Amino acid sequence: MDYDFYINFKDPFELKLFLEPNKVSWEIRNEDLKFNFFESKIFYLMNNFTINPISLIENCSYKTIIVYCNVDYLKTIYNDKKQEDLNEIWRLNYNELFIESDFLINQINELPTKKGIVFHTRFTSLMGDFKDTVSVVLDENARKELLLELVEKIQEKSIFNPTKKIYVVSDSILFLNYIKENTSFNVLPGIPKHIDLNDFEKDLTPHLKTFTDFYFMVKSEKVYLLKLGQMYSSNFSRYAAILGKVSFSILKK
């Protein structure tokens, strides 16, 4: 295929504020965006895990093709490759596309410099403190039980790494506060917020938190995803581990 490739990400923030083009000049100006009913085709592939977008593009005769999706299609495109090979392809592609902006680098440099083990949790709305695209909320007793189970899981692994710094990264400020108040584990500064939600705020701080959490895991020694009960099986920490070539494991009941 011989196409000009661009990324148009300007809402709820401009992507280049955090990630700039590296080896691929993917940035496109608003004035260069051209849409024509007879020459443009939009493929809306959100949460569509079965489609091969390359096949769609190859069989499309339109001059301009817009793909809107949130899925890693490498397994579909390279269905004969092992997961380790797909991870390497993903890492290479990411590094060709992106390099951290000076603004993001400065913020990353403010984080703890001593590498450690990171435990990541993704609750979505379960803790009742976080507006998300789902609405399941645990009652108070169930929340307390889950908090105790999570801390127990972290402690089980921490025992085998007595000299390592233990960090907790989460989308729930309730859980992060619980960790600060009831354990000796470490949390990073900032208040988490889901990047998909746009409440028309112009504050970059919550989005910055997403990027600094991600790159902190990239530079860690090991990453665990805690997945207990109805907790979300997030890929956020897995891709951070892939980018950093860091050991990654999922902890379940």
Side-chain angles (χ1 to χ4, degrees), residues 30 47 57 90 101 175 182:
N30 285 334
N47 298 319
I57 294 170
W90 191 93
S101 68
F175 180 59
N182 297 278

Side-chain angles (χ1 to χ4, degrees), residues 113-132:
T113 55
K114 185 175 181 180
K115 287 187 176 182
I117 300 173
V118 180
F119 291 83
H120 174 231
T121 66
R122 179 84 160 87
F123 293 95
T124 64
S125 61
L126 290 180
M127 288 296 170
D129 64 340
F130 193 81
K131 182 181 177 183
D132 208 332

Side-chain angles (χ1 to χ4, degrees), residues 106-168:
N106 289 335
Q107 299 301 315
I108 293 172
N109 289 340
E110 294 295 319
L111 298 173
T113 55
K114 185 175 181 180
K115 287 187 176 182
I117 300 173
V118 180
F119 291 83
H120 174 231
T121 66
R122 179 84 160 87
F123 293 95
T124 64
S125 61
L126 290 180
M127 288 296 170
D129 64 340
F130 193 81
K131 182 181 177 183
D132 208 332
T133 51
V134 296
S135 57
V136 178
V137 179
L138 298 177
D139 61 39
E140 185 175 355
N141 289 333
R143 287 200 300 270
K144 289 179 178 178
E145 183 178 347
L146 181 56
L147 289 171
L148 292 172
E149 289 177 350
L150 288 167
V151 170
E152 184 179 355
K153 277 289 183 184
I154 298 173
Q155 289 172 336
E156 286 176 2
K157 291 296 179 181
S158 303
I159 291 172
F160 298 100
N161 299 277
T163 63
K164 301 294 184 183
K165 276 260 191 181
I166 304 298
Y167 297 92
V168 177

Side-chain angles (χ1 to χ4, degrees), residues 107 110-112 129-130 168-177 180 186-193 203-213:
Q107 299 301 315
E110 294 295 319
L111 298 173
D129 64 340
F130 193 81
V168 177
V169 171
S170 179
D171 64 346
S172 168
I173 191 63
L174 185 150
F175 180 59
L176 293 176
N177 287 338
K180 286 193 291 185
N186 303 277
V187 302
L188 303 179
I191 299 175
K193 175 183 176 182
D203 182 13
L204 289 175
T205 306
H207 305 301
L208 176 61
K209 170 70 171 167
T210 300
F211 282 96
T212 53
D213 281 359

Side-chain angles (χ1 to χ4, degrees), residues 30-75:
N30 285 334
E31 54 266 34
D32 294 329
L33 290 170
K34 298 178 181 179
F35 304 99
N36 183 296
F37 180 80
F38 299 101
E39 297 182 346
S40 302
K41 177 68 175 179
I42 298 176
F43 291 117
Y44 182 85
L45 305 179
M46 293 293 287
N47 298 319
N48 189 330
F49 293 89
T50 59
I51 292 294
N52 184 334
I54 300 300
S55 297
L56 293 178
I57 294 170
E58 288 176 337
N59 294 318
C60 184
S61 60
Y62 290 85
K63 291 183 178 180
T64 301
I65 301 171
I66 301 102
V67 180
Y68 189 79
C69 69
N70 61 342
V71 176
D72 178 357
Y73 287 104
L74 287 180
K75 188 174 291 187

